[in-house]
Amino acid sequence: MVDRPHKPSSISAPPNDQHQASVDVTGDHVTAKLPSGDSCEVSLHGATVTSWKSGGREHLWLSANAVMDGSKAIRGGVPVCFPNFGPPYNAATSKLPQHGLARINKWEYLGKSTSDVDKDSVKLDFGLGPSNLTEETRKAWPYAFGLVYSVTLGSNSLQTMLNVRNEGKEAFEFQLLLHTYFKVKDISTTTVAGLMGVSYIDKVLDATEHTESETDIRIQSEVDRVYRSIPQDTTTIKENGSSYIDVVRDNLSDTVVWNPWIAKSKTMGDFEPKDGYKTMVCVEVGSVNGFQKLEPGETFEAGMIAKAHH
């Protein structure tokens, strides 16, 4: 169990009070709702945010065939990739699966909290540590770590922050990425802005390095790019030229843009419908340009805030 000294206390709002945020815990799912109608849902399997709605619209894409029983990572929503992104190429993570251990293990719900300053928001905290892992996984990555993942639902916004603590006596290295699947109306009229002039690794083109030359990136085929050391903090998803969602990085400098397109969608058994690539784009904030080291007793916190325009 993750030992958190300032664990948020549970706030019990009267069931008929329409002026406070409500939180419902049913089985392995935690649902938060604001008086405005904004809502989010989080599965304890991977602490994966599976839904975020505001303005009457769902902003996250979730596969119709997503596996929700914890036997594999959930396809869609906001999977948490830690301590590695993609196939492990670091010696310490060489025995871990693709995208690490966080998205495939069951987290603990630590509680909810609200702010006196912003009553139109609610924060949900989730924890993961070695005691939540199988013995096999602990052997594969034998470090004493503590993760606290905070999901804050606000008015037209969703903030997701991961706090990483080294609770052991030796340093460890890690990567972090929030693999967010955003739901769009039509990929043919969707663009991604805010990456002009940024260097990226194009995984579709044999991991070659390029510099982004487009102000508004169009998705017209399979895209799998790792944009590195981005100077500005905001990447914007546009629909028909108008801002739809701002993705704001917090203490992170990399972003992956991904869409599997036609052929790759067909190879993924849990990707449904097969033409789902037409209504999704992944804009994934992270720290994936190499690994970063966390010394004993140190903490690292980073994440994103997504802001919806209506």
Side-chain angles (χ1 to χ4, degrees), residues 89-107:
Y89 62 89
N90 174 291
T93 58
S94 62
K95 296 179 181 178
L96 291 176
Q98 174 170 301
H99 296 338
L101 56 83
R103 68 180 191 145
I104 55 173
N105 282 281
K106 187 173 180 179
W107 293 54

Side-chain angles (χ1 to χ4, degrees), residues 203-277:
K203 292 187 176 182
V204 176
L205 298 177
D206 300 319
T208 49
E209 186 170 342
H210 305 263
T211 299
E212 185 54 65
S213 59
E214 299 293 332
T215 302
D216 294 285
I217 303 163
R218 295 189 177 278
I219 312 294
Q220 298 173 317
S221 59
E222 181 185 353
V223 173
D224 192 354
R225 301 175 180 176
V226 182
Y227 290 86
R228 305 176 299 174
S229 303
I230 306 168
Q232 62 272 32
D233 63 8
T234 302
T235 300
T236 300
I237 300 171
K238 296 181 178 180
E239 291 185 327
N240 291 306
S242 298
S243 296
Y244 165 42
I245 290 179
D246 290 329
V247 183
V248 184
R249 286 173 294 278
D250 188 341
N251 202 27
L252 295 170
S253 58
D254 309 322
T255 289
V256 174
V257 177
W258 181 70
N259 182 295
W261 211 247
I262 302 168
K264 193 151 194 172
S265 295
K266 292 178 180 178
T267 67
M268 296 183 286
D270 61 351
F271 191 97
E272 289 289 349
K274 290 306 178 191
D275 65 352
Y277 69 90

Side-chain angles (χ1 to χ4, degrees), residues 28 119 178 186 251 273 305:
D28 291 332
K119 295 184 182 298
L178 302 176
D186 182 352
N251 202 27
I305 182 167

Side-chain angles (χ1 to χ4, degrees), residues 281-298:
V281 64
C282 283
V283 176
E284 316 162 17
V285 304
S287 175
V288 295
N289 186 18
F291 283 71
Q292 61 186 84
K293 181 180 286 189
L294 201 63
E295 297 291 343
E298 286 188 345

Side-chain angles (χ1 to χ4, degrees), residues 4-17:
R4 191 178 184 199
H6 302 293
K7 180 177 175 179
S9 59
S10 178
I11 300 172
S12 54
N16 297 322
D17 190 340

